[in-house]
PDB file of all heavy atoms in Angstrom:
ATOM      1  N   PHE S 280      -0.787  20.216 -11.120  1.00 89.00           N
ATOM      2  CA  PHE S 280      -1.119  21.576 -10.879  1.00 89.00           C
ATOM      3  C   PHE S 280      -2.007  21.800  -9.571  1.00 89.00           C
ATOM      4  O   PHE S 280      -2.060  22.793  -8.971  1.00 89.00           O
ATOM      5  CB  PHE S 280      -1.736  22.290 -12.019  1.00 89.00           C
ATOM      6  CG  PHE S 280      -0.898  22.407 -13.262  1.00 89.00           C
ATOM      7  CD1 PHE S 280      -1.116  21.540 -14.355  1.00 89.00           C
ATOM      8  CD2 PHE S 280       0.176  23.316 -13.290  1.00 89.00           C
ATOM      9  CE1 PHE S 280      -0.318  21.634 -15.405  1.00 89.00           C
ATOM     10  CE2 PHE S 280       0.903  23.356 -14.440  1.00 89.00           C
ATOM     11  CZ  PHE S 280       0.666  22.490 -15.509  1.00 89.00           C
ATOM     12  N   ALA S 307       7.009  25.737 -21.802  1.00 92.00           N
ATOM     13  CA  ALA S 307       6.136  26.867 -22.353  1.00 92.00           C
ATOM     14  C   ALA S 307       4.673  26.674 -21.824  1.00 92.00           C
ATOM     15  O   ALA S 307       4.108  27.449 -21.217  1.00 92.00           O
ATOM     16  CB  ALA S 307       6.287  26.895 -23.788  1.00 92.00           C
ATOM     17  N   PRO S 308       3.996  25.395 -22.076  1.00 91.00           N
ATOM     18  CA  PRO S 308       2.710  25.404 -21.487  1.00 91.00           C
ATOM     19  C   PRO S 308       2.691  25.188 -19.941  1.00 91.00           C
ATOM     20  O   PRO S 308       1.662  25.693 -19.288  1.00 91.00           O
ATOM     21  CB  PRO S 308       2.204  23.887 -22.130  1.00 91.00           C
ATOM     22  CG  PRO S 308       3.525  23.314 -22.496  1.00 91.00           C
ATOM     23  CD  PRO S 308       4.464  24.235 -22.837  1.00 91.00           C
ATOM     24  N   LEU S 309       3.768  24.670 -19.342  1.00 93.00           N
ATOM     25  CA  LEU S 309       3.853  24.621 -17.901  1.00 93.00           C
ATOM     26  C   LEU S 309       3.707  26.064 -17.314  1.00 93.00           C
ATOM     27  O   LEU S 309       2.923  26.282 -16.411  1.00 93.00           O
ATOM     28  CB  LEU S 309       5.081  24.004 -17.413  1.00 93.00           C
ATOM     29  CG  LEU S 309       5.408  24.008 -15.951  1.00 93.00           C
ATOM     30  CD1 LEU S 309       4.354  23.255 -15.046  1.00 93.00           C
ATOM     31  CD2 LEU S 309       6.787  23.353 -15.705  1.00 93.00           C
ATOM     32  N   VAL S 310       4.492  26.999 -17.927  1.00 93.00           N
ATOM     33  CA  VAL S 310       4.415  28.385 -17.425  1.00 93.00           C
ATOM     34  C   VAL S 310       3.083  28.932 -17.465  1.00 93.00           C
ATOM     35  O   VAL S 310       2.536  29.586 -16.515  1.00 93.00           O
ATOM     36  CB  VAL S 310       5.524  29.216 -18.125  1.00 93.00           C
ATOM     37  CG1 VAL S 310       5.244  30.761 -17.932  1.00 93.00           C
ATOM     38  CG2 VAL S 310       6.896  28.869 -17.874  1.00 93.00           C
ATOM     39  N   MET S 311       2.490  28.816 -18.640  1.00 89.00           N
ATOM     40  CA  MET S 311       1.156  29.345 -18.784  1.00 89.00           C
ATOM     41  C   MET S 311       0.181  28.844 -17.870  1.00 89.00           C
ATOM     42  O   MET S 311      -0.878  29.620 -17.406  1.00 89.00           O
ATOM     43  CB  MET S 311       0.729  29.110 -20.279  1.00 89.00           C
ATOM     44  CG  MET S 311       1.446  30.115 -21.267  1.00 89.00           C
ATOM     45  SD  MET S 311       1.265  31.810 -20.800  1.00 89.00           S
ATOM     46  CE  MET S 311       2.177  32.527 -22.204  1.00 89.00           C
ATOM     47  N   ASN S 312       0.221  27.447 -17.542  1.00 89.00           N
ATOM     48  CA  ASN S 312      -0.717  26.924 -16.694  1.00 89.00           C
ATOM     49  C   ASN S 312      -0.583  27.250 -15.278  1.00 89.00           C
ATOM     50  O   ASN S 312      -1.385  27.058 -14.419  1.00 89.00           O
ATOM     51  CB  ASN S 312      -0.728  25.327 -16.831  1.00 89.00           C
ATOM     52  CG  ASN S 312      -1.599  24.993 -17.963  1.00 89.00           C
ATOM     53  OD1 ASN S 312      -2.798  25.359 -17.981  1.00 89.00           O
ATOM     54  ND2 ASN S 312      -1.198  24.066 -18.887  1.00 89.00           N
ATOM     55  N   LEU S 313       0.573  27.828 -14.890  1.00 92.00           N
ATOM     56  CA  LEU S 313       0.956  28.298 -13.521  1.00 92.00           C
ATOM     57  C   LEU S 313       0.315  29.666 -13.270  1.00 92.00           C
ATOM     58  O   LEU S 313       0.250  30.142 -12.058  1.00 92.00           O
ATOM     59  CB  LEU S 313       2.346  28.321 -13.273  1.00 92.00           C
ATOM     60  CG  LEU S 313       3.031  26.906 -13.128  1.00 92.00           C
ATOM     61  CD1 LEU S 313       4.564  27.010 -13.047  1.00 92.00           C
ATOM     62  CD2 LEU S 313       2.498  26.164 -11.933  1.00 92.00           C
ATOM     63  N   ASP S 351       1.830  31.748 -28.747  1.00 82.00           N
ATOM     64  CA  ASP S 351       0.578  31.009 -29.183  1.00 82.00           C
ATOM     65  C   ASP S 351      -0.449  31.352 -28.272  1.00 82.00           C
ATOM     66  O   ASP S 351      -0.495  30.867 -27.020  1.00 82.00           O
ATOM     67  CB  ASP S 351       0.825  29.523 -29.230  1.00 82.00           C
ATOM     68  CG  ASP S 351      -0.360  28.681 -29.667  1.00 82.00           C
ATOM     69  OD1 ASP S 351      -1.423  29.247 -29.813  1.00 82.00           O
ATOM     70  OD2 ASP S 351      -0.199  27.546 -29.927  1.00 82.00           O
ATOM     71  N   PRO S 352      -1.616  31.935 -28.523  1.00 72.00           N
ATOM     72  CA  PRO S 352      -2.712  32.377 -27.493  1.00 72.00           C
ATOM     73  C   PRO S 352      -3.424  31.130 -26.945  1.00 72.00           C
ATOM     74  O   PRO S 352      -4.105  31.284 -25.933  1.00 72.00           O
ATOM     75  CB  PRO S 352      -3.646  33.302 -28.398  1.00 72.00           C
ATOM     76  CG  PRO S 352      -3.407  32.813 -29.675  1.00 72.00           C
ATOM     77  CD  PRO S 352      -1.954  32.456 -29.879  1.00 72.00           C
ATOM     78  N   SER S 353      -3.300  29.911 -27.526  1.00 72.00           N
ATOM     79  CA  SER S 353      -3.992  28.832 -26.975  1.00 72.00           C
ATOM     80  C   SER S 353      -3.080  27.836 -26.199  1.00 72.00           C
ATOM     81  O   SER S 353      -3.547  26.825 -25.640  1.00 72.00           O
ATOM     82  CB  SER S 353      -4.616  28.085 -28.221  1.00 72.00           C
ATOM     83  OG  SER S 353      -3.586  27.387 -29.008  1.00 72.00           O
ATOM     84  N   LEU S 354      -1.870  28.258 -26.158  1.00 73.00           N
ATOM     85  CA  LEU S 354      -0.939  27.406 -25.350  1.00 73.00           C
ATOM     86  C   LEU S 354      -1.286  27.214 -23.946  1.00 73.00           C
ATOM     87  O   LEU S 354      -1.436  28.104 -23.188  1.00 73.00           O
ATOM     88  CB  LEU S 354       0.501  28.032 -25.522  1.00 73.00           C
ATOM     89  CG  LEU S 354       1.638  27.213 -24.805  1.00 73.00           C
ATOM     90  CD1 LEU S 354       1.851  25.931 -25.351  1.00 73.00           C
ATOM     91  CD2 LEU S 354       2.847  27.988 -24.669  1.00 73.00           C
ATOM     92  N   GLY S 355      -1.307  25.938 -23.561  1.00 57.00           N
ATOM     93  CA  GLY S 355      -1.363  25.572 -22.130  1.00 57.00           C
ATOM     94  C   GLY S 355      -2.563  25.956 -21.332  1.00 57.00           C
ATOM     95  O   GLY S 355      -2.598  25.921 -20.225  1.00 57.00           O
ATOM     96  N   LEU S 356      -3.691  26.389 -22.146  1.00 50.00           N
ATOM     97  CA  LEU S 356      -4.859  26.850 -21.408  1.00 50.00           C
ATOM     98  C   LEU S 356      -5.769  25.651 -20.918  1.00 50.00           C
ATOM     99  O   LEU S 356      -6.216  24.894 -21.746  1.00 50.00           O
ATOM    100  CB  LEU S 356      -5.694  27.752 -22.316  1.00 50.00           C
ATOM    101  CG  LEU S 356      -5.220  29.117 -22.694  1.00 50.00           C
ATOM    102  CD1 LEU S 356      -6.205  29.828 -23.596  1.00 50.00           C
ATOM    103  CD2 LEU S 356      -4.944  29.932 -21.413  1.00 50.00           C
ATOM    104  N   SER S 357      -5.595  25.494 -19.583  1.00 47.00           N
ATOM    105  CA  SER S 357      -6.454  24.312 -19.075  1.00 47.00           C
ATOM    106  C   SER S 357      -7.944  24.828 -19.024  1.00 47.00           C
ATOM    107  O   SER S 357      -8.194  25.968 -19.277  1.00 47.00           O
ATOM    108  CB  SER S 357      -6.033  24.011 -17.674  1.00 47.00           C
ATOM    109  OG  SER S 357      -6.190  25.178 -16.887  1.00 47.00           O
ATOM    110  N   ASP S 358      -8.790  23.933 -18.694  1.00 43.00           N
ATOM    111  CA  ASP S 358     -10.210  24.184 -18.665  1.00 43.00           C
ATOM    112  C   ASP S 358     -10.518  25.433 -17.783  1.00 43.00           C
ATOM    113  O   ASP S 358     -11.402  26.225 -18.019  1.00 43.00           O
ATOM    114  CB  ASP S 358     -10.996  22.984 -18.277  1.00 43.00           C
ATOM    115  CG  ASP S 358     -11.033  21.859 -19.351  1.00 43.00           C
ATOM    116  OD1 ASP S 358     -10.744  22.123 -20.448  1.00 43.00           O
ATOM    117  OD2 ASP S 358     -11.303  20.776 -18.913  1.00 43.00           O
ATOM    118  N   LEU S 360      -8.733  27.833 -17.250  1.00 39.00           N
ATOM    119  CA  LEU S 360      -8.292  29.163 -17.692  1.00 39.00           C
ATOM    120  C   LEU S 360      -9.115  29.546 -19.020  1.00 39.00           C
ATOM    121  O   LEU S 360      -8.990  30.675 -19.483  1.00 39.00           O
ATOM    122  CB  LEU S 360      -6.785  29.188 -17.986  1.00 39.00           C
ATOM    123  CG  LEU S 360      -5.939  29.009 -16.697  1.00 39.00           C
ATOM    124  CD1 LEU S 360      -4.497  28.941 -17.139  1.00 39.00           C
ATOM    125  CD2 LEU S 360      -6.191  30.049 -15.793  1.00 39.00           C
ATOM    126  N   SER S 361      -9.639  28.517 -19.663  1.00 39.00           N
ATOM    127  CA  SER S 361     -10.281  28.725 -20.904  1.00 39.00           C
ATOM    128  C   SER S 361     -11.699  29.363 -20.695  1.00 39.00           C
ATOM    129  O   SER S 361     -12.728  28.730 -21.343  1.00 39.00           O
ATOM    130  CB  SER S 361     -10.277  27.486 -21.675  1.00 39.00           C
ATOM    131  OG  SER S 361      -9.043  27.053 -22.052  1.00 39.00           O
ATOM    132  N   ARG S 370      -4.566  36.238 -25.642  1.00 74.00           N
ATOM    133  CA  ARG S 370      -3.484  36.572 -24.657  1.00 74.00           C
ATOM    134  C   ARG S 370      -2.339  37.204 -25.424  1.00 74.00           C
ATOM    135  O   ARG S 370      -2.043  36.965 -26.570  1.00 74.00           O
ATOM    136  CB  ARG S 370      -2.909  35.229 -24.119  1.00 74.00           C
ATOM    137  CG  ARG S 370      -1.878  35.295 -23.054  1.00 74.00           C
ATOM    138  CD  ARG S 370      -1.515  33.935 -22.592  1.00 74.00           C
ATOM    139  NE  ARG S 370      -1.100  32.984 -23.612  1.00 74.00           N
ATOM    140  CZ  ARG S 370      -1.281  31.692 -23.558  1.00 74.00           C
ATOM    141  NH1 ARG S 370      -1.891  31.186 -22.587  1.00 74.00           N
ATOM    142  NH2 ARG S 370      -0.929  30.949 -24.528  1.00 74.00           N
TER     143      ARG S 370
END
Side-chain angles (χ1 to χ4, degrees):
F280 297 106
L309 173 64
V310 168
M311 288 303 182
N312 272 314
L313 290 169
D351 179 353
S353 66
L354 175 70
L356 289 179
S357 64
D358 292 339
L360 297 180
S361 298
R370 182 177 58 210

